[in-house]
Amino acid sequence: MPKGPRGEKRPTDAIGLAVMIGKIATGEIEDERDPVKTAAAELGSRGGKRRAENMTPERRREIARAGATARWKNPAPVRPETKGPKEPISE
């Protein structure tokens, strides 16, 4: 069996994989994957926390203000008026 991105063994064909997923869903077999973050996700979450700790409240406020300005710079698009229910065709 081939190994997945986290080293787990899984079937190569679609039907075998579907059967395995069904067995996991019904509880016949246990899911073999570990709930482990990727290395990039782990480092990214640590880096964001460290950056926030080292930043002054004034700098955080500047970044938040720039983000809000960018978000609200363009006005929301105007929605076309919705029409009421269609009238029946009279003959």
Side-chain angles (χ1 to χ4, degrees):
M1 273 190 205
K3 292 189 176 187
R6 294 187 183 153
E8 69 270 7
K9 292 183 179 181
R10 56 185 177 184
T12 56
D13 61 319
I15 294 173
L17 183 59
V19 169
M20 182 178 169
I21 291 171
K23 287 182 178 181
I24 291 171
T26 58
E28 289 182 42
I29 62 173
E30 191 66 32
D31 193 7
E32 300 170 354
R33 295 185 307 164
D34 294 329
V36 177
K37 285 185 175 181
T38 63
E42 185 68 35
L43 289 172
S45 64
R46 274 196 273 159
K49 290 176 187 174
R50 181 73 58 167
R51 180 175 181 236
E53 288 173 2
N54 293 335
M55 206 177 294
T56 64
E58 292 81 19
R59 179 66 180 137
R60 285 198 306 268
R61 193 174 297 115
E62 288 174 12
I63 292 171
R65 198 173 301 253
T69 303
R71 166 67 178 90
W72 296 103
K73 182 170 66 172
N74 296 329
V78 178
R79 291 179 46 181
E81 301 228 4
T82 56
K83 297 179 182 176
K86 293 185 178 180
E87 303 216 6
I89 300 173
S90 55
E91 294 180 28

